[in-house]
Amino acid sequence: MSTLAHTITKSNTSLPISEDYRSDVRQRNASGGSVNDKTSSLSDEQRQKELRDEKALLRKLDWRIVPWIFILYFLSVEDRANVGYAMTMNKQQGHDLATTAGLTARENNIGLGLFYVAYIVFEVPSNLIMARVNPAFWIARIMITWSIVTGCMAAISTAWHFYLLRFLLGVFEAGFWPGITYYTTLWYRPNEISSRIGVTYLAGPTSGAFGGLISAAVQLIDTKGNLYGWQWLFLISGIISIIFGVATIFYLPSKPETSKQFLTDEQLLLIRQRLALTEEEHQEQEQHQKSIFSKADWLQVKTQLLDYKVWLFCVLYFTPVMAATSLGYFLPRIVQELGTYNSIEVSLMSIPPYVFGGIMVYVMTRLSDHFEDRGWFIIGSSAASFTGFVILSFAKPIAARYFGLMVVAGGTYPTVPLSMAWTANLRENAVDVASATGIVSSMGNFGALICTFALYSGWTSDAPRYVGSNMINGGAMLLATICAIILKLRLGHLNKQMDQSGGRTRKYLL
């Protein structure tokens, strides 16, 4: 491969141009715009080769990184949300987690909430560490430790066991979602991030769908080996996650500059050119690896905290996280209150909303990258989610309310990865990206905390239709729509200022 030495910018993306092509341009200018056919043909062939090389590189990255991250996030959501199924599994026999451990609805909500308390506290430090160490190893560390805790949840017999293990699960899993978002920015351009994060986030609704099937299946082995069905669920989930956590150490590449066994020298150079990484920036990143939690790190975190745009993104992310958490934890309960269904029917009826939500995640994030736009897709998804919550709350027929639940899932789920991808595009420096996504994710998880403590099972008088809980989530999605409009207008204004006075290397994605 010839040296890639120049880029042209089109819609904030870079296409590599060879040295041969630059020679062609110089010859054309020197001869009044004409070059011989042989040279022109050579430059065309070179450009085609470079495009083929770039497509081959993307395919290599996509097949190695994206599916593996998808699996890890799938297991993360599964291990986190299994507690929702554990509370209803084999309920008719009195073998559900709540009954066997003597947990009240309030104690259940406290345990769910403690996970997010720990997650919020430890998320930013985890992301800062990831920016300084081998990110693949840190992702593996997160996974192995949370898997051990998941397996231990099979031993829950009292409320304090539940509290402790849920808190530890939050401590050890903290930083995983913003961490894999940061990890994605190490390999892909800003306008390529949304679809990759979207595929990863597909694991959320996919886990919900498979979680229903797995829960229904595991209920059939209730009391086998002197274990309840919910205990089998935690043990199986924990063992599988540990296996993938250990495998991550050996399979997931760390960073482009240290992945010489995975990539050729030409591909490493191409990645740097695609990401517009100069030698000076490359050396700066290597220097950053030498210290963890330096004074400069905390100054950068402070800078992010003082930036109003970061707080707008916090609100934008907070709102769909609250709604998505409601679906993750309480969708089986919402379905159960639609009619008179047994526990297996509830598990199976919980699957279609997750499937539809997953389809919409894939479609919306792909379109967002294709059109290089974040704002309009978030606005549309959030507005659809609000409409779904209204239908779910006020429609009379069961079929209409179930349709509303489908619309809620289809509108809510895409908003989460779109918001996180937009946040990652806000910054350019690696530590800035890590701290900004960590802050936004931490603040966003307050939405999950509110949901677990105050909505649905936490608001007993709101049952059985949960109109209040639904409309709080619906109002939150309406607030997300407003935030997206403000951010789109403000970032567009900053881009115009950039055209006049310069500043960032890349414009903001709108």
Side-chain angles (χ1 to χ4, degrees):
M1 176 185 288
S2 63
T3 303
L4 301 169
H6 189 58
T7 60
I8 57 173
T9 301
K10 180 181 179 182
S11 301
N12 300 333
T13 63
S14 299
L15 293 175
I17 299 181
S18 69
E19 191 66 40
D20 292 336
Y21 181 64
R22 294 177 66 193
S23 299
D24 274 352
V25 174
R26 287 194 293 268
Q27 289 181 43
R28 186 180 294 111
N29 291 337
S31 59
S34 65
V35 295
N36 62 60
D37 293 340
K38 182 178 179 180
T39 305
S40 178
S41 175
L42 178 62
S43 64
D44 288 340
E45 290 177 3
Q46 186 61 42
R47 290 198 301 277
Q48 290 300 319
K49 181 181 183 299
E50 289 170 359
L51 288 174
R52 288 195 302 271
D53 288 341
E54 187 167 14
K55 288 180 180 179
L57 173 64
L58 280 174
R59 281 196 301 270
K60 190 171 187 178
L61 295 178
D62 287 344
W63 280 108
R64 180 67 174 262
I65 295 173
V66 177
W68 194 260
I69 293 295
F70 173 92
I71 293 171
L72 301 189
Y73 189 62
F74 174 92
L75 295 171
S76 163
V77 177
E78 188 74 18
D79 291 350
R80 185 192 313 176
N82 273 343
V83 66
Y85 288 107
M87 293 295 177
T88 62
M89 290 176 66
N90 304 108
K91 194 176 184 66
Q92 287 77 15
Q93 295 83 9
H95 294 171
D96 57 291
L97 172 59
T99 302
T100 56
L103 300 177
T104 65
R106 179 174 177 78
E107 288 170 336
N108 175 34
N109 290 341
I110 291 173
L112 295 179
L114 284 172
F115 168 86
Y116 290 104
V117 171
Y119 205 92
I120 290 166
V121 171
F122 291 96
E123 194 143 54
V124 174
S126 175
N127 247 32
L128 288 177
I129 293 174
M130 183 178 286
R132 300 304 198 197
V133 300
N134 183 323
F137 286 2
W138 191 249
I139 289 172
R141 192 285 305 164
I142 291 174
M143 190 165 189
I144 292 169
T145 51
W146 100 53
S147 302
I148 293 171
V149 175
T150 297
C152 290
M153 291 186 72
I156 293 173
S157 60
T158 64
W160 78 265
H161 292 167
F162 185 53
Y163 295 162
L164 175 63
L165 290 172
R166 286 294 296 181
F167 182 81
L168 289 177
L169 189 64
V171 170
F172 293 130
E173 195 177 329
F176 184 71
W177 171 243
I180 59 179
T181 299
Y182 161 73
Y183 179 78
T184 305
T185 66
L186 300 177
W187 298 92
Y188 295 99
R189 288 172 173 164
N191 68 317
E192 297 166 343
I193 290 173
S194 175
S195 56
R196 273 73 185 185
I197 294 178
V199 170
T200 300
Y201 190 74
L202 273 173
T206 302
S207 175
F210 275 92
L213 288 173
I214 294 168
S215 168
V218 172
Q219 288 181 69
L220 300 177
I221 60 171
D222 181 49
T223 70
K224 299 293 184 182
N226 295 321
L227 295 174
Y228 295 117
W230 64 266
Q231 291 177 305
W232 278 115
L233 185 66
F234 285 128
L235 283 174
I236 293 170
S237 298
I239 291 170
I240 292 173
S241 297
I242 287 176
I243 293 171
F244 276 93
V246 173
T248 298
I249 298 173
F250 305 99
Y251 184 81
L252 196 65
S254 55
K255 292 184 177 182
E257 58 267 27
T258 59
S259 300
K260 295 184 179 180
Q261 292 182 338
F262 168 50
L263 300 170
T264 65
D265 290 340
E266 290 81 4
Q267 289 173 330
L268 290 172
L269 176 61
L270 180 54
I271 285 182
R272 288 178 59 184
Q273 291 292 335
R274 293 183 77 252
L275 300 179
L277 189 64
T278 66
E279 187 62 33
E280 182 178 327
E281 291 170 326
H282 179 64
Q283 292 176 356
E284 181 182 355
Q285 286 192 4
E286 288 185 333
Q287 181 65 30
H288 284 328
Q289 304 298 315
K290 298 179 181 179
S291 60
I292 298 178
F293 294 149
S294 65
K295 184 177 180 180
D297 281 353
W298 294 112
L299 287 175
Q300 285 174 315
V301 172
K302 181 181 178 181
T303 300
Q304 307 308 318
L305 289 171
L306 296 177
D307 187 345
Y308 71 93
K309 296 189 294 298
V310 171
W311 287 102
L312 282 172
F313 275 108
C314 285
V315 176
L316 178 64
Y317 188 68
F318 166 95
T319 48
V321 164
M322 184 165 70
T325 303
S326 297
L327 293 177
Y329 282 133
F330 302 118
L331 193 145
R333 185 180 296 271
I334 295 171
V335 169
Q336 194 169 47
E337 297 297 344
L338 289 177
T340 54
Y341 307 110
N342 62 43
S343 59
I344 293 180
E345 289 172 334
V346 167
S347 293
L348 295 177
M349 287 182 65
S350 299
I351 295 172
Y354 289 124
V355 172
F356 182 64
I359 292 171
M360 292 307 298
V361 167
Y362 182 79
V363 171
M364 298 297 278
T365 54
R366 295 281 292 184
L367 289 175
S368 175
D369 271 359
H370 177 76
F371 290 104
E372 298 185 12
D373 185 279
R374 300 286 183 259
W376 285 122
F377 289 93
I378 293 175
I379 291 166
S381 297
S382 300
S385 177
F386 169 74
T387 303
F389 275 116
V390 171
I391 296 172
L392 176 62
S393 300
F394 299 109
K396 299 296 182 183
I398 292 177
R401 294 177 63 197
Y402 192 76
F403 170 76
L405 187 58
M406 296 284 287
V407 175
V408 166
T412 300
Y413 279 120
T415 313
V416 177
L418 286 170
S419 300
M420 185 54 72
W422 206 5
T423 301
N425 295 152
L426 183 64
R427 295 288 180 253
E428 295 181 300
N429 175 273
V431 176
D432 285 347
V433 171
S435 56
T437 54
I439 290 168
V440 169
S441 184
S442 291
M443 295 300 103
N445 277 299
F446 274 108
L449 192 62
I450 291 171
C451 167
T452 54
F453 273 114
L455 304 183
Y456 299 100
S457 63
W459 187 355
T460 54
S461 61
D462 197 30
R465 292 182 65 93
Y466 298 116
V467 173
S469 299
N470 289 334
M471 290 315 299
I472 287 175
N473 276 324
M477 296 307 295
L478 199 59
L479 180 60
T481 305
I482 295 170
C483 277
I485 292 172
I486 294 172
L487 279 166
K488 191 171 182 66
L489 293 174
R490 182 56 186 161
L491 295 179
H493 177 69
L494 292 175
N495 280 346
K496 290 179 181 177
Q497 288 184 339
M498 215 176 300
D499 288 335
Q500 298 173 357
S501 58
R504 283 168 51 104
T505 304
R506 301 185 186 96
K507 288 185 178 181
Y508 294 103
L509 280 179
L510 303 180

